[in-house]
Amino acid sequence: MDMRRVSFYTLAALLVAGAAITACTSDDFADEALAPQQGKTYTLSVNATKGADTRTLVEEEGALTASWNANDEIKVYKGDTEVGALKPTAAGATKLKGEVTDVAVGDELTLKFQSDADYTSQDGTLDYIDTHCSAAVATVEVTKIEGSDVYTSDATFENQQSITKFTFSETVSKVVISGGAKEITVKPGSATKELYVAMPGTENSTEYVFTATVSGATYFGKKGAKLDNGKFYTASVTLTAQTEYINLSADATANTYMVTSAGKYKFNATVKGNGGIDPITGTTATAISGIAGVKVLWELYGQGRAINHDGTSYDISFEDGYVYFSTPDTFTSGDAYVAVYDSEGTILWSWLIWATETPTEKVINGITIMDRNLGALNIDTDFYKIGLNYQWGRKDPFTAGTRYDKATEYVFVPEIKTAFSYINVGTVGTDVNYTIANPTTFVQPTYPNNWLSEKAFNNNLWMDDQKTIYDPCPQGWRIPSKDTMNTFAKDANLPSGGGATNYSIAKDRFEFANSGSVGYYNMSTSINRTNCYEWRTIDTEARLDYHMFARSIRPVKEGIDVTGVEVGMVIGANGKFYANKAAAEAAGTTAEAMVAYLGTAPEGGTGDATTTNGLAIALEDAASDWNAGSSNWNDGLDAITSWAESNAVAIGTWRMPTVDDFKYMFSSCGGSEYNAESSNCDYGNFNTMLAAKGGTEMKTDWNYFLNTFSSSYTYRYDFSNKKFNTHAKSFGGYPRAVLAF
């Protein structure tokens, strides 16, 4: 069989011509009743490796044809070992030739062609896909060896991507396609209606969201589809202009979202707080599921509403995991507390929408603080600058209340006595789950002055110098610890009044007992069930008080201080840095990872390695007791996921390493620069440093799992030959987690 070029047959239309792409449907890009792509078939006289059957792409009569470029290199593998390389005998030729070693009749050889396979940024042309997004694999059997000549069966390559030709109803200058494994940004050289886009195949139906720029305006749409690698699709897309909702959770989730201008907003409602440590379980927070809707629990007027209201209802809704809302057309300050609930009306989680003028940062004695209290509507008006009050350990805000018997200048909707309630701690055996479901209920304690029952008490609901899922501060900010508060508070001119609040029923209305002339502030530091620390504006340092009181909070800048940190230091579970494993354990924490790279890793490149401060390698394999030959990539991913759940670190996120992760770390540990042509990358002192710091060296006689780039194949790093390779997911390996911090 002599197949002289690859054909991507037109299998199905993405959308019916003229239909808007704004509604999610169950249609797939592919018509499963039609035959898959046949691929390219070559007659090989010598063993080879190939990896992209989309070379020099040309569209002919609704199908894509591809031929080899003269400089294409196809690598040959026997098992995991590279045994040679092939090149086309000429541009457009169907025969590959090259040299191989250590092969015998009957050997099965894997042929791989692979470009950088960077799908994340494209220009919408076949030339770009041909150069940057090509990857394909074939297997052949050695059938004969005559003298120095090796012959194999024909090679039929399987492409590791799909290609879709999008025809838009409007001329677009940029399209962002999200929803798959990677977000793809397509920027054509000039505005056009037609774009070719390479997209990795999907194992299941996936919802894709299209965000297009048309003459400076934004257009949206979404579509459910299942894409098969090696198939060519066509799609007619009618774009519909929509008002863009600003994603408040795009960078990070939190329990408070700050709005500083009029507009339409959304946030991810499926994540608890910052999605980090849940001190109840000691692991990463679980997702919020079973959401049936969203509602506004109360609003606090400043100059007006935080969420738009038409006189009958709020402009707020829940859809596809997000809460959507709008502000009044003219921006006004205010606070609104919103909650998502399940089909039975039980509140699952709640958030503060904080509408205020843009805060500024102040640096006092080396500490970066916000210029206002949490929930404060401005920094000038008496009551408005006090902000909201929080019982220690809770994410739920309460009003700053009244002074003595005077009615508050705050206007609540509904009014305070119906917006809030109270209950005694002993009535229901109150625990954190109770307060999540009842965020507007102030828990009135009994001795020892704690809102948590004795059985449910947890001293780490708020933690020093790190953010838990119950920290009420916006993204990028956290509650200060005692030591941090002592450093800046006496020089910060914190507002007085509104603190030291505990509820009482008086004169048929809900009131607070306030001193008026003194400001009271909560911080994260707690020492036992009875006492946590508070700051009073009349004091010069923090003092002990009770968990029962609701206090103001002055947020401090969140971040990781890497001053003085060096490659080779060890990170403890507490997020602090130590000279080695022994030093971490002597300080009472578990040594988890060795710092192997410091710096910001940019987005892009194989695996999208991203980090803000650096990368650290786990001190031991995530599953060191298994036989690598009997495991597979999915087992490795499961092992790393399990590792992450049981080895939480305060300052970072565990993940399966990417190719870029290893490149950065090896280079920082004295290794060589990555050689793209040979896939060589010497790991230098990486292993010896691990052993010296108390870790277990990575095994040098086998591969380590890296991130996947298709549904069937993954990257691996081979410590024995110091190379990056691609293998089928069924191949064995070892898992070692990387911490991005």
Side-chain angles (χ1 to χ4, degrees), residues 444-648:
Q444 188 81 21
T446 55
Y447 183 81
N449 299 311
N450 195 299
W451 60 270
L452 280 164
S453 65
E454 182 175 3
K455 181 179 179 180
F457 176 72
N458 187 301
N459 207 41
N460 295 313
L461 295 181
W462 292 349
M463 297 175 68
D464 287 355
D465 301 318
Q466 79 172 91
K467 211 168 181 178
T468 72
I469 62 171
Y470 303 111
D471 188 309
C473 295
Q475 56 182 278
W477 301 89
R478 60 174 173 80
I479 303 167
S481 67
K482 173 180 70 73
D483 292 341
T484 300
M485 198 85 181
N486 278 337
T487 302
F488 76 82
K490 60 181 178 294
D491 300 314
N493 192 28
L494 300 174
S496 301
T501 59
N502 64 334
Y503 279 90
S504 62
I505 294 293
K507 299 180 181 178
D508 196 29
R509 70 170 184 257
F510 224 31
E511 292 185 324
F512 293 89
N514 292 280
S515 65
S517 61
V518 179
Y520 295 82
Y521 289 80
N522 248 328
M523 56 203 80
S524 58
T525 310
S526 170
I527 62 171
N528 53 41
R529 186 176 173 230
T530 303
N531 296 117
C532 59
Y533 279 93
E534 70 164 8
W535 178 276
R536 300 188 307 173
T537 52
I538 59 175
D539 293 330
T540 57
E541 64 179 20
R543 67 169 197 163
L544 287 174
D545 211 327
Y546 303 122
H547 295 86
M548 63 181 286
F549 298 122
R551 315 286 201 201
S552 298
I553 289 174
R554 177 58 65 97
V556 296
K557 195 74 173 178
E558 187 181 16
I560 301 170
D561 184 5
V562 294
T563 303
V565 176
E566 298 178 351
V567 170
M569 295 184 74
V570 167
I571 303 178
N574 59 3
K576 298 184 182 299
F577 298 90
Y578 301 92
N580 50 42
K581 180 179 180 181
E585 292 175 346
T589 189
T590 303
E592 296 288 359
M594 182 191 78
V595 177
Y597 168 75
L598 289 169
T600 300
E603 292 186 5
T606 303
D608 280 338
T610 58
T611 183
T612 302
N613 296 282
L615 298 165
I617 188 74
L619 293 182
E620 58 185 22
D621 290 340
S624 58
D625 58 342
W626 63 8
N627 182 337
S630 63
S631 63
N632 58 53
W633 183 88
N634 289 312
D635 293 333
L637 180 60
D638 289 342
I640 287 177
T641 301
S642 178
W643 173 272
E645 292 176 350
S646 58
N647 291 270

Side-chain angles (χ1 to χ4, degrees), residues 202-275:
T202 56
E203 295 182 355
N204 302 300
S205 182
T206 301
E207 182 177 78
Y208 290 91
V209 178
F210 297 79
T211 306
T213 303
V214 179
S215 301
T218 302
Y219 288 67
F220 288 93
K222 50 189 175 181
K223 171 71 178 180
K226 179 182 181 298
L227 303 180
D228 289 335
N229 289 328
K231 291 186 178 181
F232 175 54
Y233 305 102
T234 59
S236 297
V237 181
T238 299
L239 293 169
T240 302
Q242 297 183 7
T243 302
E244 184 174 7
Y245 282 80
I246 299 172
N247 185 1
L248 297 171
S249 58
D251 295 328
T253 58
N255 287 314
T256 293
Y257 289 107
M258 186 179 294
V259 173
T260 58
S261 61
K264 293 180 177 293
Y265 298 91
K266 68 178 182 178
F267 64 86
N268 187 342
T270 66
V271 180
K272 295 181 178 180
N274 66 342

Side-chain angles (χ1 to χ4, degrees), residues 276-565:
I277 299 224
D278 182 348
I280 304 297
T281 63
T283 61
T284 302
T286 56
I288 303 169
S289 59
I291 300 173
V294 62
K295 60 184 176 182
V296 177
L297 299 179
W298 53 259
E299 264 203 298
L300 170 60
Y301 276 50
Q303 299 167 326
R305 293 181 181 273
I307 298 178
N308 198 35
H309 192 278
D310 63 6
T312 303
S313 60
Y314 289 101
D315 184 11
I316 190 168
S317 61
F318 172 80
E319 183 180 356
D320 298 329
Y322 281 83
V323 167
Y324 294 81
F325 69 93
S326 67
T327 70
D329 292 338
T330 300
F331 178 74
T332 55
S333 62
D335 288 315
Y337 205 56
V338 305
V340 292
Y341 54 86
D342 64 16
S343 59
E344 296 181 352
T346 301
I347 291 175
L348 303 173
W349 204 262
S350 48
W351 297 265
L352 174 67
I353 306 301
W354 182 14
T356 185
E357 60 194 15
T358 303
T360 59
E361 297 178 5
K362 300 168 63 177
V363 180
I364 299 177
N365 299 327
I367 305 296
T368 302
I369 69 171
M370 195 180 285
D371 69 346
R372 63 199 62 204
N373 289 352
L374 183 56
L377 303 185
N378 58 48
I379 59 175
D380 301 316
T381 308
D382 188 15
F383 277 95
Y384 290 171
K385 66 184 179 182
I386 295 170
L388 298 170
N389 289 167
Y390 295 80
Q391 288 185 289
W392 183 92
R394 293 185 67 176
K395 64 179 180 59
D396 316 309
F398 294 91
T399 173
T402 63
R403 289 183 177 180
Y404 312 111
D405 291 333
K406 296 179 181 179
T408 179
E409 295 181 19
Y410 288 146
V411 177
F412 271 83
V413 177
E415 61 182 342
I416 289 177
K417 67 180 180 180
T418 52
F420 298 97
S421 62
Y422 84 102
I423 193 169
N424 289 323
V425 66
T427 305
V428 292
T430 50
D431 58 12
V432 173
N433 289 332
Y434 175 83
T435 61
I436 290 172
N438 299 274
T440 59
T441 299
F442 187 94
V443 182
Q444 188 81 21
T446 55
Y447 183 81
N449 299 311
N450 195 299
W451 60 270
L452 280 164
S453 65
E454 182 175 3
K455 181 179 179 180
F457 176 72
N458 187 301
N459 207 41
N460 295 313
L461 295 181
W462 292 349
M463 297 175 68
D464 287 355
D465 301 318
Q466 79 172 91
K467 211 168 181 178
T468 72
I469 62 171
Y470 303 111
D471 188 309
C473 295
Q475 56 182 278
W477 301 89
R478 60 174 173 80
I479 303 167
S481 67
K482 173 180 70 73
D483 292 341
T484 300
M485 198 85 181
N486 278 337
T487 302
F488 76 82
K490 60 181 178 294
D491 300 314
N493 192 28
L494 300 174
S496 301
T501 59
N502 64 334
Y503 279 90
S504 62
I505 294 293
K507 299 180 181 178
D508 196 29
R509 70 170 184 257
F510 224 31
E511 292 185 324
F512 293 89
N514 292 280
S515 65
S517 61
V518 179
Y520 295 82
Y521 289 80
N522 248 328
M523 56 203 80
S524 58
T525 310
S526 170
I527 62 171
N528 53 41
R529 186 176 173 230
T530 303
N531 296 117
C532 59
Y533 279 93
E534 70 164 8
W535 178 276
R536 300 188 307 173
T537 52
I538 59 175
D539 293 330
T540 57
E541 64 179 20
R543 67 169 197 163
L544 287 174
D545 211 327
Y546 303 122
H547 295 86
M548 63 181 286
F549 298 122
R551 315 286 201 201
S552 298
I553 289 174
R554 177 58 65 97
V556 296
K557 195 74 173 178
E558 187 181 16
I560 301 170
D561 184 5
V562 294
T563 303
V565 176

Side-chain angles (χ1 to χ4, degrees), residues 40 42-52 55-56 67-75 85-99 112-113 157:
K40 288 195 279 193
Y42 297 96
T43 300
L44 306 179
S45 59
V46 189
N47 245 349
T49 24
K50 151 154 167 97
R55 311 302 297 140
T56 316
S67 59
W68 289 107
N69 294 324
N71 61 350
D72 285 339
E73 183 181 52
I74 298 89
K75 294 185 178 181
L86 307 175
K87 283 183 175 289
T89 55
T94 59
K95 180 175 281 190
L96 306 175
K97 279 193 172 183
E99 295 182 352
K112 299 180 182 180
F113 174 85
F157 284 91

